[in-house]
Amino acid sequence: MKGPRSLFVALVAATFGNVEAGQHKRDSARQDIQYEAHYFQQKINHFPDNGLPFANETFTQRYYFDTSYYKPGGPVYLYIGGETSGPSRFSNLQTGIIQILMEATHGLGVILENRFYGGSYPFNTSTTDQLVFLSTAQTIADNSYFVQKASFPGVDGDLTAPGTPWILYGGSLAGAQTAFSIKKYGDVLYGGIASSAPVHIVLGYPEWYNPIQKYAPQECVSRINNIVDKFDALVAKNHSAAINQFKALFGLEVLTDHRDFASAIVDPIGNPGTYLSNTWQELNWNSSYGSRDFFYFCGNVSNIDAPKEISDIDYAMSNYTQGEPWVGLGGYSDYIKKHTRTLCRSGNYNSHDCWGTQNESAWADVTNSASRSYLYTSCTEQGAYIDAPKEGPSLLSRVVDTSYEQQWCTWAFPDGQYNKIPPTPDLDLYNSFGDFNFTADRLAFIDGDQDVWNGLCYHSPLAPARTQKSDLHPELLITGSGHHWDSSGILNVEDEPQFIREAHLWEIRAVKKWLREFKSWKPQKKAQK
């Protein structure tokens, strides 16, 4: 998921007590605070009996912290960095969910960068053998080890777990890692909030498009569905001349692989791999965090007042459909040419950094990068390859199936000396943590019903009916919400939109209830070293 954009709200940071933060200027507006990087010696291999090397070696893992609201005796909130760098998560300390919880409970906030992301790479490259240490098991073991050893320069006292209540928060992949951490290491980690956390994993995930199909402007959706149907009919007939003419309307005839072309023209909506646009997933209740580009795109597809030279393109392919126009094609192709293609900085639309995926050697580049780390995890454990549905309407051409992304795995990660990726992701390993029946004490699940990933989350339409039965297992589905929308804030919960406000108040109440019981929990726990 792309990092949130910087905030425009200018408010002064609040402080409590005599704690000296040291890592940022106190007179900075909260949204402008820059945190100093701190470094932790993390184990490369937490499981020396697994037969892998580096059993006694460490790497440098980055973390950042904020003491603006901290008072002695307060909790520590650990934001799990997920599939990006620590600095791209600063907004969560500045004005987002961690700031909200810190202020409500006089807590200290920390961002821990995941291994193989940001500045926390164990090695100088990411070969198949080196990436064997990028697994869910190793990542959540990092969390447990860190909370038992972490230090905060300028803060008096020992804040390590389990003597201090540590409460995790993560969104998306980091949300799942939060849930897994609490379940596996609940004797060290006191609690957690898993937001938009995919706890159920599948190989192919065409349901990614379901919320868009259902909640996006329907005229736009139906027009794209019909255009996709018509294109797929040409592909089924292997009508090369018509297919090339169609690609040329978008200015993308250089994309000879039909799947690459299909991914390019669905980029404004969201596609397999890494899309360049701000899509439905980048919508947010706070425009400072999100983007409205998706609606500008749909507005072009649905425009009934487009100039004649654009609306006439609706008829450019009509000779292949018995005179029936491809309604919306003019606005669709015009938007792609003017706004989507320009996101390809090199101008080479068939290059690996844009929409060309058939360069095998480019995938094999072992340079450290977030995209390579994320791909590896997808290939080995997570799956959820975005593909087209086998039946019913589709926003993505049906030329795209799971083999499209699986081939990237084969090209990117050739067999190593002691690591070999599976033919398909090991879904059972990931789902063994609990799947849709996931439960752990002091673990809250919070999701959005319009999130593209909700089909894999605790509140998935495929999951059992949900009802909160205990303060130990709180759960909330936010109406009208997208991908972990609760992670962002505006420094005043009462001024937030209704459903977000109530979600944040719900999270505050849940955490406060847990903290009231901490003293009775602590004596029963024994930390794992």
Side-chain angles (χ1 to χ4, degrees):
M1 181 185 129
K2 296 179 181 178
R5 298 182 178 187
S6 59
L7 292 172
F8 299 117
V9 182
L11 294 173
V12 178
T15 59
F16 289 91
N18 297 317
V19 177
E20 179 58 46
Q23 75 272 21
H24 63 75
K25 295 180 180 179
R26 290 293 187 154
D27 57 356
S28 298
R30 276 213 65 87
Q31 79 278 2
D32 295 327
I33 292 173
Q34 296 300 303
Y35 300 96
E36 178 184 347
H38 296 268
Y39 300 93
F40 178 78
Q41 290 306 304
Q42 183 64 264
K43 295 180 179 181
I44 293 178
N45 183 6
H46 290 277
F47 312 104
D49 294 337
N50 60 12
L52 296 174
F54 303 104
N56 299 310
E57 302 296 326
T58 63
F59 72 97
T60 302
Q61 190 171 27
R62 290 197 307 191
Y63 68 103
Y64 306 82
F65 67 92
D66 187 320
T67 60
S68 298
Y69 301 96
Y70 179 70
K71 286 185 177 181
V76 178
Y77 295 102
L78 178 60
Y79 188 96
I80 305 303
E83 65 273 34
T84 187
S85 68
S88 70
R89 300 298 198 188
F90 280 179
S91 63
N92 294 277
L93 290 182
Q94 294 163 340
T95 61
I97 183 60
I98 302 300
Q99 181 275 327
I100 291 169
L101 295 174
M102 287 192 298
E103 183 177 29
T105 62
H106 304 311
L108 182 149
V110 190
I111 296 172
L112 179 64
E113 210 165 53
N114 277 30
R115 57 172 57 208
F116 287 92
Y117 288 96
S120 298
Y121 287 90
F123 309 103
N124 293 328
T125 55
S126 293
T127 66
T128 304
D129 275 341
Q130 291 164 337
L131 285 165
V132 73
F133 298 104
L134 176 57
S135 65
T136 298
Q138 297 280 4
T139 298
I140 65 175
D142 285 349
N143 299 335
S144 175
Y145 188 69
F146 175 78
V147 305
Q148 296 178 70
K149 303 290 185 180
S151 62
F152 303 101
V155 179
D156 293 334
D158 181 358
L159 299 186
T160 58
T164 297
W166 281 68
I167 296 175
L168 278 59
Y169 176 96
S172 194
L173 169 60
Q177 292 169 348
T178 292
F180 299 159
S181 298
I182 299 303
K183 185 160 188 174
K184 177 69 174 177
Y185 300 106
D187 53 350
V188 176
L189 304 167
Y190 186 59
I193 300 174
S195 180
S196 298
V199 294
H200 168 76
I201 289 299
V202 293
L203 180 61
Y205 185 53
E207 292 83 4
W208 194 92
Y209 294 100
N210 284 3
I212 309 172
Q213 190 75 41
K214 181 176 181 179
Y215 295 111
Q218 290 302 291
E219 186 176 18
C220 169
V221 168
S222 63
R223 288 184 174 194
I224 296 173
N225 290 158
N226 289 330
I227 291 170
V228 167
D229 287 346
K230 290 179 171 63
F231 172 69
D232 286 352
L234 297 179
V235 173
K237 296 175 181 177
N238 197 26
H239 202 317
S240 298
I243 292 170
N244 291 335
Q245 181 183 345
F246 182 71
K247 290 180 179 181
L249 293 175
F250 292 84
L252 294 171
E253 57 270 37
V254 69
L255 296 175
T256 55
D257 189 289
H258 298 339
R259 300 166 299 177
D260 289 350
F261 171 74
S263 291
I265 66 171
V266 81
D267 198 280
I269 303 172
N271 65 12
T274 303
Y275 47 81
L276 304 181
S277 304
N278 288 310
T279 72
W280 180 271
Q281 182 170 312
E282 280 66 59
L283 297 175
N284 197 284
W285 64 271
N286 183 343
S287 60
S288 296
Y289 289 93
S291 168
R292 298 175 62 186
D293 288 358
F294 176 86
F295 292 114
Y296 297 140
F297 162 71
C298 258
N300 275 261
V301 175
S302 306
N303 188 7
I304 60 174
D305 296 314
K308 187 175 185 298
E309 64 268 20
I310 293 176
S311 58
D312 279 354
I313 295 175
D314 290 4
Y315 292 87
M317 304 289 295
S318 61
N319 56 314
Y320 301 109
T321 51
Q322 298 180 328
E324 179 185 347
W326 297 38
V327 179
L329 178 57
Y332 190 179
S333 58
D334 184 66
Y335 184 93
I336 296 296
K337 284 190 291 187
K338 291 180 178 177
H339 302 288
T340 304
R341 292 193 312 170
T342 58
L343 300 175
C344 174
R345 294 181 180 180
S346 67
N348 181 0
Y349 310 131
N350 200 31
S351 65
H352 188 72
D353 59 340
C354 295
W355 297 287
T357 68
Q358 301 305 298
N359 183 345
E360 184 174 346
S361 61
W363 289 104
D365 182 359
V366 298
T367 302
N368 289 337
S369 69
S371 59
R372 182 167 176 81
S373 298
Y374 187 83
L375 177 64
Y376 176 81
T377 308
S378 298
C379 295
T380 55
E381 294 183 355
Q382 292 171 8
Y385 301 155
I386 297 173
D387 61 343
K390 299 296 186 295
E391 56 186 29
S394 182
L395 296 165
L396 171 67
S397 170
R398 298 168 186 86
V399 298
V400 176
D401 59 20
T402 57
S403 66
Y404 180 52
E405 294 177 69
Q406 189 63 53
Q407 70 177 356
W408 306 341
C409 301
T410 303
W411 293 339
F413 308 111
D415 291 355
Q417 179 181 349
Y418 45 81
N419 186 27
K420 178 181 179 180
I421 65 167
T424 58
D426 186 353
L427 307 180
D428 291 339
L429 177 64
Y430 197 95
N431 289 330
S432 66
F433 282 94
D435 209 317
F436 282 142
N437 296 314
F438 203 109
T439 185
D441 287 351
R442 289 172 301 280
L443 175 63
F445 283 107
I446 183 167
D447 299 310
D449 66 351
Q450 295 187 21
D451 178 12
V452 290
W453 295 106
N454 192 48
L456 305 178
C457 296
Y458 184 81
H459 291 96
S460 167
L462 302 177
R466 302 301 190 189
T467 332
Q468 180 168 327
K469 299 177 181 178
S470 165
D471 290 339
L472 288 175
H473 311 114
E475 54 190 62
L476 179 66
L477 180 65
I478 310 175
T479 301
S481 174
H483 199 51
H484 61 88
W485 277 15
D486 64 303
S487 66
S488 59
I490 56 174
L491 292 175
N492 190 333
V493 172
E494 292 299 330
D495 284 349
E496 295 171 351
Q498 174 180 321
F499 292 116
I500 298 299
R501 178 191 70 227
E502 294 307 313
H504 283 151
L505 293 174
W506 174 85
E507 287 171 310
I508 291 171
R509 288 194 303 272
V511 167
K512 283 185 173 181
K513 290 175 184 177
W514 295 343
L515 292 175
R516 289 174 182 174
E517 302 299 322
F518 177 66
K519 289 184 179 180
S520 63
W521 169 84
K522 186 169 56 175
Q524 304 173 27
K525 303 299 171 180
K526 182 179 179 181
Q528 295 180 351
K529 298 298 184 182

